[in-house]
Amino acid sequence: MRRIYSMPLRRKIILVIMMISTVSLLLASAAFIANDRITTRQAADEILNTMAEIIATNSTDAVLSGDRATAQEILKFLARKHHIQAAAIYANDGRIISGYSKETKGNQMPNPVGIPEGVQYRDNYVELYSRIRHLHVPVGYVYLRSDVGIIAEHMQWYINVAIIVLFTSLLIAFILSKQLQRIITDPVLRLSEIARQIISERNYSLRVTGTGHDEIGKLITDFNEMLDQIQLRDNELKLHKVELESNVANRTAELVVANKELEAAKEQAESVAKRMEYNANHDPLTGLPNRMLLKDRINTALSHAHREQRMMALLFLDLDRFKVINDSLGHAIGDQLLRVVSRRLKSCIRAEDTVARFGGDEFMVLLPSISGSSDAGRIGMKIIDALVKPVWCHGHELHITTSIGISIFPSDGTDTDTLVKNADISMYRAKTLGRNKLIYYTAEMNAVSRRQLTLETNLRKALEKNELELVYLPKIDITRNSIIGAEALLRWEHDTMGIVCPSDFIPVAEDSGLIVTIGEWVIRTAFAQLRKWHDAGYNKLTIAVNLSYVQLSRPGLVKTVRQALSESRIEAGMTEFEITENVVMQNVDAVVATLEIMKDMGISIAMDDFGTGYSSLSYLRRLPVDTVKIDQSFVREVPDNKNDASIAQAIIAMAKSLNLSVVAEGVENIKQMNFFRQQGVHIQQGYLFSEPVTAEVFQRMLDKQALPGPLNLVR
Ligand code: C2E
Ligand code: MG
Ligand code: MG
C-alpha cells in the first residue's frame, strides 16, 4: 500500500483505471458465465426431459406389453447421442425392460422405484427419472444418464471467450489509460515543474500555462493567482529588505560609532574615576596630598608611633605675605609660586615623610618618625633656607618666606586634631614674632593663640564701636625747635583688653584684610584733624600717615586718598605717607605706579623703618620716595655703638646721594639728637620731644608752643 502512495500520479491513475477495468470486466464475465451456466443447464434439462418424454410416449406400449425388442429399438437412437451415457426403460415394478450403457465397466442401472421424477445433477453426470404413463396412469419408468461434458464444453468456451475479452479489454484500457492519464498529469506535472523552478530560482514571475475549467484548470488559475500574490509580497519584501538592509547598515554604522563613543566614555569614566579618587586626595594645583589624605597619614603614623613608642612631628607652614603677592600680582603668579614652593618643600624631606597642602598658602609636613624634637627643627630650618632663595615668576623676582610651627608627638598631643591645632598655634606665634621663623609649640601658646583669635574677632567690631583712636607723634625741626608735622599712630582701646599696641593688632588686621577699612578710617580721620589744626591757624603743619603693604596691594587707595583730601580740603602737599620696605615683597611695578600717582598729586612718600627689611638700594632708587626714616633700632645706641653709628651715617650718606631728606625716629636723648644734628639730620621724632599724644594734647602743645620734653619750642 505504501508503494502505491509513493507511486507517481501517472502510475496511480493507470493502476486505478486498470483495477477498475479489471474488476468490472471480471464481474461482467462472471455474471455472463453464471448466466450462461444456468441457461445451459436449463437447456440440458429440457433436452433430457424431451428425450425422456419421447421415450416414454414411444415405449408405453412396449412397457405394457413387455416388448423388450421395441423398447430396445426405441433406445437405439440414443446411442447416436454421444453425451447420453446410459438409458433404461423399466416396468412399474422396477424391472428393466430395456437398457443400455456406454460405459464399459459395469452396466448397472439404478432401481427407479421410489426415486422422484426430475433431473438430478451428480458429480460428473446428470440423470433423469421420468414416469411412463398410460392414460395418466404410471406404467413404468424411463431413466436417462448424460455426462455434463456438454455443459462443461459450453462453459469452457465461454470462459475462453471471457478471458480473451478480458485481456483485450485490459490491454485497451491500459493503452487508453496511459494516454488519458496525461490529460490529468500533464498540467499537474507542469504545475510541479514550475513550482520546483520557482523554488530553485526564487523567480516568482513564472506562471503555469494552460487553461481549463476543470479542477486542475482552477488549481492552475489559483496557483498563478497565488504566485501573483507571492510576487507582490516578494517585491514588497525586496523593497523592505533593501530598506531594512540600509537601515541595518545605518544602524550598524551608528552602533559602531556609539560603541566607539561608549568605549571612549568608559575609558573616560575610568580615568575620571581614577582622577576623582586622586583629586579627592590631592591638591590639584601642586599635586601634593591634601588635608584629607594628610589626616589619614597622620592617623596611621600616630598608631605606629603609639605602638613603637616613637616620636613624630608635624610642621605647620604658612607663607608670609603670600596674600599680598596673590592680590597684587594675580593668581597665576600666586599659583606658580605655590608650585615652586611645593617642589622646594618636597626636596627637603625624606621619602617616608609627607608634605601636604593644607589649603591656601598653608602646608604641612608630617615626619612620622624622629629620634628627637631637634630633628623637626633641622628640617624646619632646611625648609626656611630653601624658601628664602628668590623665585622668578613671569619676570618678577619674588621673595617668599615662611613661618613654621612645630608640634611633637607625644609631648604636644596624642591625637591628630590636637597636634594639628598646636602646630597651627605655634606657626601663628612665629608670624607674630616677625615671620620667617620656626617655633616649637609650648603650652603657654594656647593662651596667646586664643588672644590672637579674640583680637581678630574684636577688631572687626572696633571701628563700629568707636574703639579706635589716633594719637599724633610730633615731627620736630630741631634747627627751628618747632613742630612741623604730626605722624598719626593708631590706638585701640578695648573694653576688657585695655589698650592694644599696634604691633599686636596691625599684623592681625593685615592678615585678615581689616587693615584696608581701618586704614581708610585713619587717612580720613588724620586729614580731618589736620584740617582742624589748619583752621586753628597752624596751616604749615603736615600730617604723616602710615600705610600698610596690604593697602598698597589693593586697588582703590588713590581714590580713597583723593576723597579724603577733598573732604578735608587739605592740600596734597601737606600730607605724607609712610611705607615700609616690605612693599617690595609684592608687585613692585604696581606699587611704584600707585606711589607715583600720589607723588604727582603732591603727596610726599617716606620710607619708614629704613634698614630693617629687604633694604635694597635698587628698590630705593626705583620707589618714588622723598624721605628716609632711619629706624629707631639704629638710633637707640648711637653715638656709643660705633656699628650703629656707622650704619646710620651710611644711610644718611646714601639718602643724601639720592637727594632724599632724612628723618631720625626714636630719638630719646640729647646725645642722639646731637649725633643726628651733626650728621645734618634736622627733622627728628622721639620721646625726647614727645610721646604720641591725642589730638587735644597735640593742639595744646601747638598752642603753648611747648613740648613735654626738655626742649622749648619756637613756633
Ligand atoms: P612707626 O611708624 O615707626 O612709628 C613709630 C613708633 O615708634 C610708634 O610706635 C611710636 O610710639 C614709637 N616711638 C616713637 N618715638 C619713640 C621713642 O623715642 N622711643 C620708643 N621706644 N618708641 C618710640 P607705635 O605707635 O606703637 O607704632 C608702632 C608701629 O605701628 C608704627 O611704627 C607703625 O609701623 C605701625 N602703625 C601705627 N599706626 C599705624 C597706622 O595707622 N597704620 C599702619 N599701617 N601702621 C601703623
Ligand atoms: Mg611711621
Ligand atoms: Mg618707624
Side-chain angles (χ1 to χ4, degrees), residues 487-489 545-546 578 608-609 629 665 685:
E487 179 181 355
L489 294 166
V545 172
N546 291 285
E578 294 186 9
D608 203 354
D609 305 339
K629 291 180 83 175
E665 58 179 351
Q685 286 179 297

Side-chain angles (χ1 to χ4, degrees), residues 294 313-317 345 349 353-356 363-367 379 383:
L294 175 79
L314 273 186
L315 277 64
F316 201 117
L317 279 79
L345 289 178
I349 57 156
D353 304 334
T354 300
V355 176
F363 294 86
M364 200 128 196
V365 177
L366 163 68
L367 308 174
I379 296 205
I383 290 172

